[in-house]
Amino acid sequence: GGLLVLPAAPALLNIKTDKKYHNALKNADIALFDSGYLCLLLRMFKGVTVKKFSGFIFFKEFLNSLKNEKNAKILLVEPSKKQLNTNKNFLNSKKIDNFFQYVAPLYRKENIRDYKLLKKIKKIKPKYVIINLGGGVQEVLGSYLKNNINFKVSIICSGAAISFFTREQAPITDYLDKIYLGWLIRIIFNPFVFLPRYLSAFRLIFIIKRL
């Protein structure tokens, strides 16, 4: 049980100004270096080498582990009805059927809490809660759930990781992930969305230099 986060580089830009996001990361039981982009910046500007464990690899191994946990209940928190249907079809194709889904409302940044979701979790009592929302929101929601659930559950903030497997995100391979170029493939796959996002994240250099 506990809270696992995989913070992405663009979301980490707000770590100094968004106290709720910062506190949510500190409240996590496990935080993994998901961002190859961040790892490259740390190596280039601080001479610090860290080992990445991306959302892509994590979700791949998580799916494999479910083969030995056929009775484990899973609740997926989805960003939209469209995503719910896409993920449902994908999990069914993998012969994973002991899962539930919940479409999250549009949360207000200043008040990320969800009594309806909390009630659903307490009723279902899943082993895993997979939050497929954007960075900066999912971590705060995950922290809120952790603080308000009194039974053992693993809350995993894996964001868009499942979309690499449903093919809604860039077609990343094990090799591209291994050489820390997943971010570049995402830009090539959808430049209008990801190029501005990663150019903005380049400002992480100034945060890193202050460390």
Side-chain angles (χ1 to χ4, degrees):
L3 174 63
L4 183 148
V5 297
L6 298 106
L12 285 169
L13 274 175
N14 302 316
I15 198 167
K16 291 290 186 183
T17 57
D18 190 338
K19 290 184 179 180
K20 290 183 179 179
Y21 174 60
H22 191 190
N23 288 335
L25 295 184
K26 291 193 293 183
N27 190 37
D29 298 280
I30 301 174
L32 300 178
F33 276 99
D34 170 38
S35 173
Y37 188 73
L38 173 60
C39 293
L40 289 173
L41 291 179
L42 283 170
R43 187 177 298 180
M44 291 167 60
F45 295 98
K46 293 294 286 186
V48 175
T49 300
V50 294
K51 188 173 182 180
K52 180 171 70 76
F53 196 93
S54 68
F56 170 76
I57 292 297
F58 172 83
F59 206 82
K60 181 179 179 180
E61 295 193 6
F62 176 70
L63 288 173
N64 288 333
S65 74
L66 291 178
K67 294 175 183 176
N68 301 317
E69 294 188 89
K70 294 188 181 296
N71 295 321
K73 291 181 183 178
I74 306 165
L75 174 64
L76 294 93
V77 181
E78 312 284 20
S80 67
K81 186 69 182 293
K82 179 178 180 290
Q83 198 67 50
L84 179 148
N85 290 326
T86 299
N87 294 345
K88 180 180 179 179
N89 292 335
F90 170 73
L91 293 174
N92 285 334
S93 74
K94 294 295 179 180
K95 303 295 189 290
I96 298 169
D97 53 17
N98 199 15
F99 66 90
F100 305 82
Q101 292 171 286
Y102 174 82
V103 177
L106 188 61
Y107 298 112
R108 290 182 294 122
K109 272 273 190 178
E110 65 274 11
N111 188 31
I112 300 176
R113 51 184 69 220
D114 192 331
Y115 300 111
K116 186 177 177 182
L117 173 59
L118 193 59
K119 184 178 178 180
K120 189 176 183 75
I121 292 171
K122 289 179 178 180
K123 180 180 179 181
I124 296 170
K125 288 188 166 52
K127 183 173 183 179
Y128 302 105
V129 174
I130 311 296
I131 305 180
N132 301 321
L133 305 180
V137 172
Q138 63 174 349
E139 296 87 355
V140 179
L141 178 63
S143 182
Y144 159 77
L145 295 176
K146 175 188 172 181
N147 292 338
N148 288 279
I149 295 173
N150 58 6
F151 59 89
K152 189 175 181 180
V153 57
S154 295
I155 302 166
I156 301 168
C157 300
S158 52
I162 191 172
S163 297
F164 293 125
F165 300 90
T166 61
R167 299 299 180 184
E168 292 216 328
Q169 283 272 4
I172 292 176
T173 64
D174 287 5
Y175 176 71
L176 290 170
D177 183 79
K178 185 177 181 180
I179 60 173
Y180 291 34
L181 288 182
W183 60 276
L184 181 59
I185 302 305
R186 294 178 91 182
I187 291 174
I188 294 171
F189 184 76
N190 194 339
F192 294 106
V193 171
F194 292 106
L195 182 57
R197 189 176 299 181
Y198 282 105
L199 285 176
S200 175
F202 198 70
R203 288 185 286 126
L204 274 172
I205 293 170
F206 303 107
I207 296 175
I208 289 169
K209 283 185 174 182
R210 296 192 205 106
L211 296 176

